[in-house]
Amino acid sequence: MDNIINQNIMKKIKEQTGCNAPASEAQIKLCNVKLKQHGFPELPEDFAKVLLEANGLTADDANIFGVGLEEGGWFDDVCDYNIQHCQAPSKKLVLGYDDDTHLIYYAEEKLYRVESEMGKDMESDDLIEVLEYFLRIQ
Amino acid sequence: MAEFNEIKSEALKENSSDENEKRCRISALREQTQNPAQKKFYKSYEIKSDVQEICAAFFGENKITLEECNQQLAEYNVHLEEIPYVDEKEADKDLNVIARAAFNGYFKETIHDNLSKGFFDRRTDDFKPEDYNLDNCAVWQKFKKVPEFAQLEKTVKQGMAKLKISPDVLSPSYPYPLNANDISKIICLQFKGSYQKNGLKQVCIKNINGFEGYKIRNTKRFIAENEEVFRKSMMRIPLSGKDIEAAKATGKTPEQALAYCKQVRAEYVEALINLMKAKGSTNLAEAKDDKGKTLFKPEWSWQPKIDVHHINPIHNCETIELKGKNFTDINDYENMCFMVKEPYHTIMHYLDNCECDDFKSKIKAKSAPDKRFMLCPGKNEKEKDNMRALLYKGVYIWQNFISHKRKENDGDLPHRDEKRLQASDVQLKELQQSRLNQGK
C-alpha cells in the first residue's frame, strides 16, 4: 500500500488516544474476504493503512474498530460489528462508534460520515480529518 | 430460573418459525441451569441473542406488574421505572446538543445542514460584541441554564461580531432564529486555536474555562463516595475464561492460573480506581502516564469495562422536564449510574429501546434508588444464574407491562400508551410555549 497517511497527524492521534498494536496485512486481507462474503464493501484503503498503525483506537467513548479481533476485548472487530448490527448487502461499512454517533464509510461515494439518528455531524473524503474529529483530537 | 426458562420456552414455541432449533437451545439452557457441573457464565452476545429472541417472542398477556417486578429486582440493585414518553421526533434537538456538550465537555462543530439560515445572515458592516443582545435569543436562554456555559456569553458575542452575523437574528420576530449547533459552531470557531485545517472540530471546554463536563465530574464523585464498594463489586465479577485459558497455557496449574488471574484483576481494578480519581475516566485503554506512555497492560484485554448510564435518556431531555425538573438535571449525579458495559449497559438499553419496532420505551432500568452502581454478576454460580434470570425477567416484565398498557387501551393499539402520550403531548406543548415566552 502507498503511504497515504499523514504521519504527523497519525502520530498526534496515537499520542492522544488508546491504540491497539498494529494489524497485519494478512488480517486485513482476511477481513476483506469476510466482509465481501457477507455483502459488505471492503475496507477503504486509507482505513486499512491506519489499521497497520493501530488495530483499533479508543478515546473516551469513541471507538474505531480493528480487524481479526476476538469479541469481548477493548477493541471491536469491524467484521463482527457489521455482520451483527447491519443489514446486508450494504454499500456502507460502520468503522466505529461513539456515545450516540457512528463513523460510517459510504463506498459508492468514497465518503466518511459521522452520523447519529439526529443526522449528519460531518462528512469528508479525508479519513484523517474525520478521525481527528471523531476522536476529539485537540 | 426454571420459571423463566419455561416462560421463555413457551413463548418461543408459540412464536418461533424454527421451533425445533430454539427448543433445543432452551432445553440446553435449562439443563445447564439444573446441572451445576455444566453451568457457565453467559457471554454478552449469547445474552443479547436471547433477549432479542424473547423480545420478538413475547407478545403475551400481562402476568406481572411493575411493582411486583421491582420487589423482585430490589435484591439486585435494579429498579425499573416509568418515565414520561416523548416522541423522539418531537424532542427538542437543541436541548440534546446542549446536554451532550455539558456531559462530554466538548462543543461540537457540525456541517452546514445543521445550521440555521440566521447563522449565514452576514453583513458587511463591522459590529461590536455589545451590539448583540442575547437576552432575546431563545437558544441562548437554554445554554445559560448550564452555569459553565453562561460564562461564555461574551465569547459568543465576540464570535458573532467576528463573523459579522446580523444582530437582527436575535430579534424575536426574526424568522430563522439561531439554534444550538450555531452557538456551538460560534464557540468552536473562537477556540479552534492553532488548528490549521478548515475541517470541523470538537473543542474541549476544559481548555476554554476549565469545565470538565458532567461525565468526568460525576465519575470523580462516584469513586470518591463508593471506592470500597466499587472495588469489592469489581472483584466479584467472574474472571474471563480467556484469561484463565491463557494463564493455563503458560504451564500454570488450574489453581495457579486462577490465583494469577485474580491478581491481574486486582491490579486492573486499582489502576481503574486511580484513573477514575485522577481523570474521571473509566477508559484505561487510553490512559497514559506523565511521559505519554500507555498504562494499559496486554493482560487486561478481557477485563470488564465500566460505563456511565443516563437513567432518563440524554437524547430526550423532555422526559426530565416533564417531571418538573430543569433539562440540565439530565446530567445530574442523581440521573446516572455506573455499570459494566457488556452485557449490562447494553441490556439496559435493550430494556428501554428494544430493537423490535413495536416496543418503545416507557420503562427505564436503573440502579436501586440509593445505589449508584449496577450490581455486578455474582461471586458464585447461584448469583450468576440469578443475574441471568434478572436479565430475562427484566425484559419479560417490561414487555408484559407494555402489553398490559395495550390491553388497557382496548388492545388494538400502537406500541405506546396513547392516552398517556396525548397527555404528555399537551404538557410538552405547554413546556415549549413557556420556553418561547421566556425567550421573548
Side-chain angles (χ1 to χ4, degrees), chain A residues 17 60-61 97 120 137, chain B residues 114 201 215 286 288 341:
Chain A
T17 63
D60 201 2
D61 283 340
Y97 64 84
K120 275 185 286 183
I137 303 301
Chain B
N114 300 323
K201 191 164 166 63
K215 185 178 182 185
E286 66 167 334
K288 306 264 200 306
K341 181 175 182 173

Side-chain angles (χ1 to χ4, degrees), chain A residues 6 9 12-20 58-63 69-76 84-85 97-101 114 116-123 126 128-130 132-138, chain B residues 44-45 48 88 93 96-97 100 103-104 106 108-111 113-114 195 197-204 207 215 242 268 281-288 292 296 300-305 307 314 341 350 353 355:
Chain A
N6 181 323
I9 301 176
K12 196 164 73 165
I13 290 174
K14 285 166 80 173
E15 280 169 0
Q16 293 188 29
T17 63
C19 45
N20 202 3
T58 178
D60 201 2
D61 283 340
N63 290 284
L69 300 170
E70 286 184 71
E71 189 161 352
W74 281 69
F75 298 96
D76 294 305
Q84 283 178 22
H85 295 92
Y97 64 84
D98 196 357
D99 203 16
D100 66 328
T101 55
V114 177
S116 68
E117 285 182 11
M118 287 171 68
K120 275 185 286 183
D121 280 353
M122 74 102 68
E123 66 179 14
D126 181 346
I128 291 296
E129 187 181 310
V130 178
E132 281 187 288
Y133 180 85
F134 194 70
L135 296 165
R136 299 176 184 151
I137 303 301
Q138 299 298 302
Chain B
S44 59
Y45 68 86
K48 271 191 228 170
E88 288 187 14
K93 289 184 182 174
N96 179 263
V97 170
R100 279 202 186 276
F103 181 64
N104 293 323
Y106 284 83
K108 201 185 257 189
E109 200 185 356
T110 60
I111 56 168
D113 298 9
N114 300 323
Y195 193 69
K197 298 170 76 173
N198 292 323
L200 303 177
K201 191 164 166 63
Q202 297 193 57
V203 169
C204 180
N207 297 340
K215 185 178 182 185
K242 285 173 184 166
Y268 167 77
S281 165
T282 56
N283 188 349
L284 257 176
E286 66 167 334
K288 306 264 200 306
F296 196 78
W300 294 345
S301 293
W302 308 106
Q303 297 297 337
K305 289 185 253 185
D307 269 358
I314 192 168
K341 181 175 182 173
Y350 273 113
N353 196 9
E355 287 189 351

Side-chain angles (χ1 to χ4, degrees), chain A residues 63-135:
Chain A
N63 290 284
I64 299 295
F65 301 148
V67 292
L69 300 170
E70 286 184 71
E71 189 161 352
W74 281 69
F75 298 96
D76 294 305
D77 185 83
V78 68
C79 287
D80 288 348
Y81 188 92
N82 281 275
I83 292 165
Q84 283 178 22
H85 295 92
C86 308
Q87 283 192 332
S90 175
K91 286 169 183 165
K92 60 185 187 181
L93 191 64
V94 182
L95 300 177
Y97 64 84
D98 196 357
D99 203 16
D100 66 328
T101 55
H102 285 92
L103 168 57
I104 301 174
Y105 176 65
Y106 285 79
E108 281 193 330
E109 297 152 273
K110 293 192 184 338
L111 267 181
Y112 297 94
R113 282 192 189 132
V114 177
E115 61 185 44
S116 68
E117 285 182 11
M118 287 171 68
K120 275 185 286 183
D121 280 353
M122 74 102 68
E123 66 179 14
S124 173
D125 58 1
D126 181 346
L127 173 66
I128 291 296
E129 187 181 310
V130 178
L131 288 180
E132 281 187 288
Y133 180 85
F134 194 70
L135 296 165

Side-chain angles (χ1 to χ4, degrees), chain B residues 61-217:
Chain B
E61 292 180 0
N62 177 54
K63 288 174 186 169
I64 225 170
T65 67
L66 192 63
E67 197 181 330
E68 285 170 325
C69 157
N70 278 329
Q71 281 169 8
Q72 294 181 57
L73 296 183
E75 67 177 293
Y76 305 108
N77 281 2
V78 176
H79 186 85
L80 300 184
E81 72 172 28
E82 190 175 5
I83 60 167
Y85 186 95
V86 177
D87 190 332
E88 288 187 14
K89 285 175 194 160
E90 298 292 322
D92 186 333
K93 289 184 182 174
D94 284 337
L95 299 187
N96 179 263
V97 170
I98 298 166
R100 279 202 186 276
F103 181 64
N104 293 323
Y106 284 83
F107 284 120
K108 201 185 257 189
E109 200 185 356
T110 60
I111 56 168
H112 285 183
D113 298 9
N114 300 323
L115 304 174
S116 71
K117 284 185 183 173
F119 180 83
F120 297 101
D121 188 350
R122 311 291 171 87
R123 303 294 160 92
T124 51
D125 313 337
D126 286 330
F127 296 109
K128 293 175 190 159
E130 47 273 30
D131 293 329
Y132 297 92
N133 182 5
L134 290 178
D135 292 343
N136 290 333
C137 177
V139 74
W140 180 248
Q141 301 313 307
K142 296 173 191 171
F143 264 91
K144 265 175 72 173
K145 287 186 177 171
V146 181
E148 291 81 3
F149 292 176
Q151 298 167 2
L152 301 174
E153 183 163 339
K154 197 174 165 192
T155 300
V156 174
K157 288 179 175 179
Q158 285 170 339
M160 291 182 77
K162 205 169 171 183
L163 293 167
K164 299 189 176 186
I165 294 173
S166 167
D168 295 344
V169 304
L170 300 175
S171 159
S173 57
Y174 187 80
Y176 309 112
L178 295 183
N179 63 33
N181 285 315
D182 297 332
I183 301 287
S184 296
K185 173 109 182 168
I186 290 165
I187 297 170
C188 285
L189 289 172
Q190 285 287 89
F191 288 100
K192 275 169 115 174
S194 59
Y195 193 69
Q196 296 299 312
K197 298 170 76 173
N198 292 323
L200 303 177
K201 191 164 166 63
Q202 297 193 57
V203 169
C204 180
I205 305 170
K206 191 180 175 187
N207 297 340
I208 301 175
N209 65 1
F211 175 55
E212 292 182 313
Y214 285 94
K215 185 178 182 185
I216 290 177
R217 187 181 283 186

